[in-house]
């Protein structure tokens, strides 16, 4: 396994953990709460990084 595979794996793990946390925040505070929207933006940034790595 090379460095890029390790980076992708850790990025995917981070994305999955962030998804779970986003669902939790959304259920607790509401889907349109500012905190939910902000965390969703942070998750989007990580997904964009992943998509760039996969090109």
């Amino acid at each position: 396994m090379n460095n890029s595979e390790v980076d992708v794996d850790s990025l995917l793990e981070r994305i999955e953990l962030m998804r779970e946390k986003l669902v939790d925040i959304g259920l607790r505070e509401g889907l349109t709460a500012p905190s939910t929207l902000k965390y969703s933006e942070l998750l989007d940034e990580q997904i964009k990084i992943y998509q760039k790595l996969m090109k």
Side-chain angles (χ1 to χ4, degrees):
M1 194 179 289
N2 64 37
N3 282 343
S4 64
E5 289 173 339
V6 172
D7 291 343
V8 169
D9 288 344
S10 64
L11 181 58
L12 283 172
E13 286 177 24
R14 185 176 329 127
I15 288 170
E16 186 55 37
L17 290 172
M18 289 180 76
R19 279 188 179 135
E20 291 172 12
K21 185 172 178 179
L22 178 60
V23 169
D24 183 54
I25 294 169
L27 291 173
R28 257 187 304 120
E29 301 181 25
L31 297 179
T32 59
S35 55
T36 305
L37 299 176
K38 180 62 180 168
Y39 203 78
S40 178
E41 290 172 3
L42 295 173
L43 175 56
D44 287 345
E45 290 171 15
Q46 296 300 304
I47 292 171
K48 287 177 188 171
I49 292 169
Y50 172 76
Q51 289 173 334
K52 284 181 184 175
L53 287 173
M54 293 295 99
K55 284 189 176 179

